[in-house]
């Protein structure tokens, strides 16, 4: 049966299983265990925007699971010449076993999922970044050993990564803070949904414009670029407004001593984070990047592998 992952909410009932089983797969892989569960299966990967981690991790994950991945750019596809998303979904569904889609517009990811008879995985759009979340919370669990009781703070732009992170934290019972400049808060519908999940899970979601409030006693400090792909025009104006939200030595001095620093990457060093923090002993950004590979494997197994 097909299983789409367009939003973190498509993992609402088993998100923690993705995270824990991702860690298990990683351990088994490190021991040298071979897993050919996806032998003979093909993943089509449509990238409307650039990618290093998402592309390489999914392609490598398919290889390591015995399957194959095809990289597709709209520049080279008929979709770039006006073939509809729906027809693309119908055609690819007759040939491949799953589709990964990095899109500018969430509506197109939903449309592809609607018309596809094989599983569709959102590889980041304007609203969410669900596959990143599995890797991120694997990293949190590996370094902190628990979820409940942690204070996790996202400081920066209320963007796609922030939306998905907030929903995921609520699902796991983490107390989550978002600090953004005024006017850059995450979208209301995501805040409302995260708060309602948090209420059920007896944790909290706090949205503030004060970066120090978020950083104070934090166990995890997370940031992402101030200017996401496709928003380049807003760059200069944003840099001024976001100055106080830079993750630097002064801001992290408010966090717990053993806090961890996370970033989905790519980082714009000197803007949202200084080298001093990104390269500090508290930084786990490359563990986080490595975990993308193992996270993609559990995502692939639970979607096209029907696990
Ligand atoms: N974090 C992430 O999705 O990175 P890429 O844009 O390199 O895929
Ligand atoms: N928010 C960033 C994440 C990149 C992985 C963007 O959308 O460009």
């Amino acid at each position: 049966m097909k299983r789409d992952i367009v939003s973190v909410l498509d993992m609402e009932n088993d998100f923690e299983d993705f995270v824990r089983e991702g860690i298990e797969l990683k351990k088994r892989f490190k021991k040298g265990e071979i897993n050919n569960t996806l032998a003979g299966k093909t993943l089509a990967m449509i990238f409307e925007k650039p990618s290093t981690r998402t592309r390489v991790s999914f392609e490598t994950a398919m290889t390591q699971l015995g399957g194959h991945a095809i990289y597709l750019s709209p520049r080279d596809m008929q979709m770039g010449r006006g073939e509809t998303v729906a027809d693309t979904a119908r055609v690819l569904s007759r040939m491949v076993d799953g589709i990964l889609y990095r899109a500018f517009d969430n509506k197109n990811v939903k449309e592809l999922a609607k018309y596809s008879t094989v599983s569709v995985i959102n590889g980041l759009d304007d609203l969410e970044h669900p596959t990143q979340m599995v890797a991120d919370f694997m990293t949190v669990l590996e370094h902190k050993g628990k979820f409940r009781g942690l204070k996790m703070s996202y400081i920066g732009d209320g963007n796609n990564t922030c939306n998905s992170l907030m929903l995921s934290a609520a699902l796991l019972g983490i107390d989550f803070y978002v600090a953004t400049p005024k006017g850059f808060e995450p979208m209301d519908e995501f805040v409302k949904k995260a708060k309602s999940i948090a209420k059920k899970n007896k944790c909290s979601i706090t949205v503030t414009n004060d970066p120090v409030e978020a950083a104070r006693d934090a166990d995890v400090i997370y940031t992402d670029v101030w200017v996401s792909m496709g928003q380049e025009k807003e760059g200069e104006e944003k840099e001024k407004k976001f100055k106080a939200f830079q993750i630097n030595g002064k801001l992290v001095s408010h966090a717990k001593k053993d806090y961890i620093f996370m970033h989905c990457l790519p980082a714009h060093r000197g803007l949202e984070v200084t080298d001093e923090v990104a390269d500090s002993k508290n930084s786990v950004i490359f563990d986080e990047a490595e975990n993308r590979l193992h996270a993609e494997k559990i995502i692939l197994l639970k979607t096209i592998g029907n696990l």
Side-chain angles (χ1 to χ4, degrees), residues 37-302:
T37 309
L38 299 186
K41 305 261 189 208
T42 301
L43 177 73
M45 310 192 298
I46 308 172
F47 280 89
E48 289 178 3
K49 310 189 238 192
S51 168
T52 298
R53 281 144 289 267
T54 307
R55 177 186 175 178
V56 176
S57 59
F58 269 100
E59 194 162 333
T60 306
M62 280 305 287
T63 306
Q64 292 183 357
L65 292 171
H68 178 68
I70 307 173
Y71 174 78
L72 296 163
S73 144
R75 278 186 303 282
D76 311 314
M77 290 172 77
Q78 298 294 5
M79 209 165 92
R81 294 182 56 246
E83 185 166 22
T84 65
V85 171
D87 282 350
T88 304
R90 292 177 178 117
V91 171
L92 290 180
S93 295
R94 302 284 183 111
M95 299 180 183
V96 302
D97 303 283
I99 309 171
L100 172 74
Y101 187 18
R102 171 166 285 193
F104 281 103
D105 191 340
N106 173 264
K107 287 194 196 77
N108 286 339
V109 183
K110 286 190 174 143
E111 177 93 346
L112 193 86
K114 180 173 170 194
Y115 289 99
S116 169
T117 57
V118 297
S119 301
V120 169
I121 303 167
N122 180 355
L124 178 138
D125 61 27
D126 53 333
L127 300 186
E128 279 208 58
H129 196 2
T131 64
Q132 177 75 47
M133 297 306 122
V134 179
D136 288 349
F137 288 94
M138 283 171 62
T139 313
V140 170
L141 194 56
E142 285 172 335
H143 285 274
K144 291 280 153 210
K146 61 175 187 179
F147 294 126
R148 198 159 283 284
L150 292 180
K151 172 174 175 176
M152 179 176 204
S153 298
Y154 176 95
I155 301 176
D157 186 28
N159 62 14
N160 41 12
T161 303
C162 174
N163 290 337
S164 288
L165 204 68
M166 185 166 58
L167 292 174
S168 307
L171 287 173
L172 294 171
I174 293 173
D175 293 319
F176 190 77
Y177 283 66
V178 186
T180 72
K182 281 204 171 64
F184 296 92
E185 296 86 357
M187 288 160 68
D188 267 354
E189 63 173 275
F190 284 94
V191 177
K192 275 198 195 118
K193 183 69 195 173
K195 282 192 172 170
S196 87
I197 297 171
K199 198 169 169 202
K200 269 192 264 159
N201 285 343
K202 300 193 171 37
C203 60
S204 61
I205 304 288
T206 308
V207 180
T208 171
N209 301 119
D210 178 0
V212 175
E213 182 190 353
R216 193 175 299 122
D217 295 325
D219 297 284
V220 183
I221 292 187
Y222 195 120
T223 194
D224 184 13
V225 292
W226 291 340
V227 179
S228 285
M229 289 181 277
Q231 301 177 352
E232 286 75 10
K233 270 193 253 144
E234 298 165 32
E236 260 179 50
E237 188 208 330
K238 266 185 150 177
E239 276 179 32
K240 283 183 218 136
K241 292 187 177 157
F242 277 71
K243 264 211 165 90
F245 294 79
Q246 181 187 64
I247 313 297
N248 53 32
K250 189 163 172 227
L251 189 56
V252 301
S253 71
H254 297 281
K256 289 208 178 116
K257 271 216 157 51
D258 64 348
Y259 89 98
I260 54 172
F261 171 68
M262 299 181 69
H263 191 314
C264 60
L265 303 179
H268 291 111
R269 288 166 177 259
L271 291 178
E272 76 271 8
V273 62
T274 57
D275 287 340
E276 181 191 11
V277 173
D279 299 327
S280 69
K281 63 174 186 3
N282 301 76
S283 172
V284 298
I285 56 178
F286 299 113
D287 292 345
E288 186 183 356
E290 179 191 344
N291 279 339
R292 290 297 302 274
L293 171 63
H294 307 288
E296 314 318 17
K297 286 189 199 168
I298 195 64
I299 291 167
L300 289 164
L301 289 174
K302 285 187 182 287

